[in-house]
Structure formats: structure tokens, C-alpha cells
Amino acid sequence: MQSYIMTFYKTLVIVASLTIMFGFIACLEEKQASGPFQKAAMTAQAQMSFPELLPRNPALGSVEEQVKMSDIYADLTRKIQQDPADHRSRIQLAQLFMLEARVTGEHGHYYPASLTVLDELLANDPPQDAQFGALSLKASVYLSLHRFEEAKKLAEEAVKLNSYNSLIYGSLVDANVELGDYETAIQMADKMVAIRPDLRSYSRVSYLREIHGDMEGAIEAMQMAVGAGYPGYEETAWCRLTLGELIEQSGDLTAAREQYEQILAERPNYPFAMAALARIDAEEGMLEAAENRVKQAIAIIPEFSFYEQLAEIYRTTAREEEAEATIQSILEMLADDEAKGHKMGLEYANVYLNLKGDPQTALEYAKKEYTLRPENIDVNKVLAEIYWSMGESKMAKAHLIVANRTGSQHPHLQQLNNRIQS
């Protein structure tokens, strides 16, 4: 099974390292807010509470990077405490939480934390620049939570306030891709690149080329994204990870392995690179090495797709008891994510289909997802596979037509085409 986290990159707004702040933060005016925040700044002296910054696993990044994050958190919360009207610091705090969600995998804590900060800001009549910043970040959080329609509406509201910020068009690319409006996604990507050709815009061009079957162009654009980043930064590692995945899909496992190893040379202990290498190890029959690598990744962050890989290894090596225990852990992780506002219907469908061997339950989850985004090619691909496994070839072929409508050459989709259309 393809790791979900690999495609997750393509659907959320990339939150840059805090040393490369959103353009709108650099442009915020140094002035006091009007409205309720102004009154609060004049009267509020009581201690304020803030969502917690969780301790990182020591393996995640350098000691200096972790200390820097703690120092930034302390500085931002101090500034807000001293001046509740400091909307700039509030936006930066929400952004810090989004970055930590990416790095640590603690989504259940950091996404709600970011929303808490942003909702409080938006509820207090901020000036237009701060309102734009908060709406943009909130759209990013909603994309991460798979609340795609809501994310799109927020992004559309934000772009009315500032149509010259490239990252807001990134949100519109992602939301439209997930909702199956690929034509609009391309238009938004064009606007994004025209405003700021950088790591984030190149990565979206790459994904759009990929889903339209242009693998050579997708690889070229992702190479540009990697080249636009700083070696060792988490976002650069993520882009190189996706570049490796594209190369892997093209069938060159040796070249893909080189990309993943390069990530670890630049950012040691990066868990997604470990898991990617484990996937190649398993593909090449080195199951013991694959198991060791994926367990190392799991020890660093609680990413459920790593557990999926481990369950598959257990199944391949006929260790059913361990496989079932791991699958149960996956279901518990998905339930915890959903309890904290993360929509996981497609992930549930894949687990029940591919790991539990229960297409009926998988269908229930996939159909719920289909009601939300019936034009999305990935949703239709999963439904085609489910119906085919249940012997309902007519329904399988109908969904396969939609899954193929962009001309994607993804190996899994091509395998499905060969099975269903043969």
C-alpha cells in the first residue's frame, strides 16, 4: 500500500520553516489593532493560557533547532501576554503549531491548538492584514484535517482581502484538487507561480503534472522545488521525499533510494525517509531490513502509515498475530484523529480493504467520502477497487472511468486498469 503521508504532502498548504515566514507576516504594519483587541490591550492584565508546545522526540532535528522552537514559542506567548492586540505574534504562534504538527506528527494536539489561536484572533475584529493571515492559516489547517470544502471557502474569502499572496493560491490548488476540480486547480497554480516561483509553487506544479500523466514534467518540477529549498530544512526534505516517490513510481528504485539516502545525509533521522527506504527494502525482498527501518521511524513519530507498512511486513512473513495487533493500533490511531476533527474516511477504507480484507466495511467509509467529493480520482480509484473485490464489475468500471479522467499513470491505477478492464 502506498504511504498516505506521501500524498498528504500534495494536499496540504506547505507551512514554511519559521525562518521563511509567510509574506503577509513580513508586511504586517507595526500598529495597534482597533476594536475589541484594542480594549483588551488596555485593560487585560490577567494571566493568559496558551496551547502547550510539546517536547520533541530528541531524534527530530538538531538540538539547536529544538531550542530555537522553544525560544520562539516563549517569545511569542510573552508578547501576546504583554499585548493582547499583537495579532502578528498570534499568527506566528498558530504557524509555529502547524510546523510542529508536520515535524512531530502530533496532529491531534497541534491542529486544534492552531485553530484555537486563529479563532480567537478572528473573533476580535482584527485589521484586514491580520484577518487575511488568520484566514489563510485556518484554510491550511482545514486542508490538513481533510475539511476540503470549508478550506476552499476560507481561502476564497482570504483572496478577496489579498489577491497578491502566492500561498493563498496554494490553498486553492489543494482544495480544488481534493474536491476533483482539476481545471480550477491548474488555474490557481498558474497564479501561484506567476506571483512567486518557489518551493511551494513548484511542488504543486509537480503534483498537477503527475496526476495528468506527465511524469517527466512532474519530476522536473519537483527537482526545481528541491533546488529552491535549503538543505536540511524539513520542507526541503519533504520535497526530496516526494521527488524520490516520483522516481520510485517510474520504476527506478536505485535512483529513488539515492534520494531518500540524501535526505538522511542532510537531515539525520528523518522518519519519512526511513519509511521510504523500508518500502524499497521490502520491494527488493529485504524484509528484515525493512522491518528494522520502519520500526526506527515509528519510534520517532506516531505516523499511522508507518504502522501500515509494518502490518504488511508481518503479513508477508506470516506473523498474523503481530499483524492483527498492529492493525488494531492503526484503527485506534484513526479513531483518535477523527475524535479531534480529522476526517479519515479514505484512510479507513484503505485499511479495511487492504489490511482487514473487509470490503463491505471499506465500502461504507468510501461511500461517505464519495458524497463529499465525487469527482476526486483517488476516491473513485478506491471505490473501483472495492467494487471489483466484491465482484461488482459494472460499478467498478464506472468508478474507474472517473479515476482515469486526468490520465494519471500511477502504477497502482494502471494495475487496477489491467485487472478490471482485461
Side-chain angles (χ1 to χ4, degrees):
M1 181 190 301
Q2 182 189 14
S3 167
Y4 168 71
I5 199 69
M6 301 288 281
T7 54
F8 177 63
Y9 162 72
K10 304 160 189 168
T11 62
L12 78 93
V13 171
I14 301 300
V15 180
S17 299
L18 292 188
T19 53
I20 308 175
M21 287 294 184
F22 281 174
F24 59 77
I25 290 180
C27 296
L28 287 176
E29 297 179 13
E30 296 291 346
K31 62 183 180 180
Q32 290 291 325
S34 59
F37 264 154
Q38 173 71 21
K39 297 174 184 177
M42 296 170 59
T43 61
Q45 298 296 327
Q47 288 294 312
M48 301 169 65
S49 62
F50 302 94
E52 182 184 5
L53 184 73
L54 302 177
R56 281 189 183 184
N57 186 312
L60 286 171
S62 65
V63 173
E64 292 79 11
E65 181 177 299
Q66 296 181 47
V67 170
K68 181 180 180 181
M69 293 302 103
S70 295
D71 289 347
I72 291 173
Y73 174 81
D75 184 56
L76 291 174
T77 53
R78 176 185 57 79
K79 287 179 177 178
I80 299 168
Q81 179 71 50
Q82 293 175 346
D83 179 9
D86 186 353
H87 49 76
R88 176 174 176 167
S89 292
R90 288 176 183 270
I91 291 174
Q92 291 178 339
L93 181 61
Q95 188 178 31
L96 172 60
F97 289 146
M98 284 292 288
L99 176 62
E100 288 299 288
R102 280 174 51 82
V103 173
T104 68
E106 295 289 352
H107 304 147
H109 174 76
Y110 284 118
Y111 292 153
S114 187
L115 286 176
T116 295
V117 174
L118 295 171
D119 285 341
E120 185 174 285
L121 190 157
L122 288 167
N124 284 280
D125 191 26
Q128 181 171 313
D129 52 3
Q131 185 181 1
F132 170 78
L135 288 172
S136 299
L137 274 177
K138 189 171 181 178
S140 174
V141 179
Y142 276 5
L143 284 167
S144 300
L145 293 172
H146 299 181
R147 296 165 64 174
F148 303 121
E149 188 63 50
E150 294 166 277
K152 180 182 176 182
K153 290 178 180 177
L154 284 171
E156 288 173 341
E157 188 177 347
V159 83
K160 292 176 183 177
L161 300 174
N162 182 355
S163 61
Y164 299 100
N165 179 280
S166 67
L167 286 173
I168 194 59
Y169 290 107
S171 294
L172 288 169
V173 172
D174 299 338
N176 281 291
V177 163
E178 292 300 334
L179 293 170
D181 187 350
Y182 302 103
E183 294 77 11
T184 300
I186 291 171
Q187 295 170 16
M188 297 301 102
D190 286 344
K191 290 185 178 182
M192 188 181 188
V193 173
I195 294 171
R196 186 168 183 171
D198 62 2
L199 178 150
R200 299 159 202 80
S201 56
Y202 291 144
S203 65
R204 285 174 171 84
V205 169
S206 174
Y207 183 46
L208 287 167
R209 288 177 178 178
E210 177 195 348
I211 63 178
H212 284 87
D214 180 9
M215 290 300 295
E216 183 177 343
I219 290 173
E220 179 185 16
M222 193 55 69
Q223 287 171 332
M224 294 171 68
V226 172
Y230 291 88
Y233 279 26
E234 191 275 343
E235 61 174 357
T236 309
W238 196 266
C239 284
R240 190 177 290 280
L241 183 80
T242 308
L243 174 60
E245 183 193 22
L246 292 170
I247 295 171
E248 189 178 340
Q249 286 181 33
S250 71
D252 191 343
L253 298 186
T254 300
R257 183 185 289 276
E258 290 173 357
Q259 293 294 332
Y260 303 143
E261 289 174 344
Q262 179 66 29
I263 293 170
L264 293 175
E266 296 175 355
R267 190 177 178 87
N269 297 318
Y270 191 60
F272 299 106
M274 293 177 178
L277 285 168
R279 187 173 58 250
I280 292 182
D281 286 341
E283 183 74 18
E284 295 180 339
M286 297 183 289
L287 294 175
E288 183 176 354
E291 182 176 339
N292 289 336
R293 284 193 202 269
V294 79
K295 283 181 175 178
Q296 288 177 338
I298 286 171
I300 296 173
I301 66 169
E303 167 53 42
F304 85 90
S305 65
F306 299 166
Y307 286 83
E308 289 182 308
Q309 286 181 254
L310 185 59
E312 290 171 347
I313 292 170
Y314 286 148
R315 279 273 168 80
T316 303
T317 54
R319 294 145 70 185
E320 283 300 320
E321 187 173 336
E322 291 168 285
E324 285 301 322
T326 304
I327 293 167
Q328 184 57 40
S329 295
I330 294 169
L331 293 174
E332 290 170 2
M333 294 169 74
L334 292 178
D336 182 65
D337 278 346
E338 285 215 317
K340 293 171 181 174
H342 202 156
K343 294 182 182 295
M344 305 297 283
L346 204 57
E347 290 67 42
Y348 268 117
N350 277 312
V351 169
Y352 275 101
L353 177 64
N354 298 310
L355 294 178
K356 295 286 286 181
D358 182 356
Q360 189 59 55
T361 303
L363 180 61
E364 293 173 11
Y365 282 106
K367 287 172 73 174
K368 289 178 183 177
E369 198 71 23
Y370 181 77
T371 62
L372 299 174
R373 42 195 187 125
E375 297 301 317
N376 178 273
I377 59 174
D378 292 320
V379 173
N380 281 277
K381 180 175 67 177
V382 171
L383 279 165
E385 189 169 11
I386 292 171
Y387 279 120
W388 183 254
S389 71
M390 297 172 70
E392 298 188 33
S393 60
K394 184 176 180 180
M395 290 294 293
K397 290 177 180 179
H399 285 288
L400 192 60
I401 290 172
V402 182
N404 279 303
R405 73 186 183 93
T406 62
S408 170
Q409 298 299 306
H410 192 284
H412 185 202
L413 179 60
Q414 296 311 307
Q415 291 168 10
L416 201 57
N417 280 324
N418 292 335
R419 282 158 49 195
I420 294 177
Q421 295 181 347
S422 61

